[in-house]
């Protein structure tokens, strides 16, 4: 089992099987990563892997449509497209709700 720390959700720590999808883990464990489509189309699940980016799989083409090269170098990923193979810590910007 690996550990995922959801920094933006009061540093909630959960255990998950190795090789799991980050967004699915967040949904199952109430990690709090925001999302709309879950399929790489909207970019809503953009998040920053602050620790353990080396434990994520390769960046997908869908991510390159939503994230700049600079963002990718900093560790930004789309949770719906990211699979995790070791311990990570992830954060995201809170969603601003339209009024």
């Amino acid at each position: 089992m690996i550990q995922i720390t959801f920094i933006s959700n009061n540093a909630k720590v959960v255990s998950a099987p190795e090789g799991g999808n980050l967004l699915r883990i967040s949904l199952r464990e109430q990690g709090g990563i925001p999302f709309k489509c879950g399929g790489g189309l909207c970019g809503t699940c953009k998040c920053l892997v602050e620790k353990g980016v080396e434990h994520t799989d390769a960046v997908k083409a869908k991510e390159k449509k939503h994230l700049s090269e600079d963002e990718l170098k900093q560790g930004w990923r789309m949770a719906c497209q990211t699979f995790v193979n070791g311990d990570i810590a992830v954060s995201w910007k809170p969603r601003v709700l339209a009024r």
Side-chain angles (χ1 to χ4, degrees):
M1 298 291 275
I2 61 170
Q3 286 196 324
I4 299 177
T5 304
F6 295 98
I7 297 169
S8 300
N9 185 4
N10 297 314
K12 180 177 185 170
V13 178
V14 303
S15 294
E18 190 173 318
N21 175 272
L22 182 54
L23 181 59
R24 287 190 201 118
I25 295 167
S26 175
L27 290 170
R28 186 173 56 245
E29 301 293 338
Q30 298 177 336
I33 295 175
F35 75 100
K36 285 186 182 174
C37 76
L41 301 175
C42 72
T44 306
C45 63
K46 174 180 171 181
C47 56
L48 178 62
V49 180
E50 295 196 24
K51 292 183 183 174
V53 72
E54 68 275 12
H55 299 299
T56 60
D57 64 339
V59 173
K60 317 291 184 311
K62 287 181 179 180
E63 291 178 278
K64 292 180 180 180
K65 291 180 181 177
H66 295 281
L67 303 169
S68 70
E69 280 299 316
D70 279 346
E71 288 174 318
L72 291 168
K73 287 177 187 172
Q74 292 169 26
W76 287 93
R77 297 292 303 266
M78 288 173 51
C80 71
Q81 299 296 303
T82 304
F83 290 82
V84 185
N85 299 306
D87 296 351
I88 68 165
V90 61
S91 67
W92 56 91
K93 294 178 182 173
R95 273 180 62 192
V96 178
L97 300 175
R99 293 181 185 246

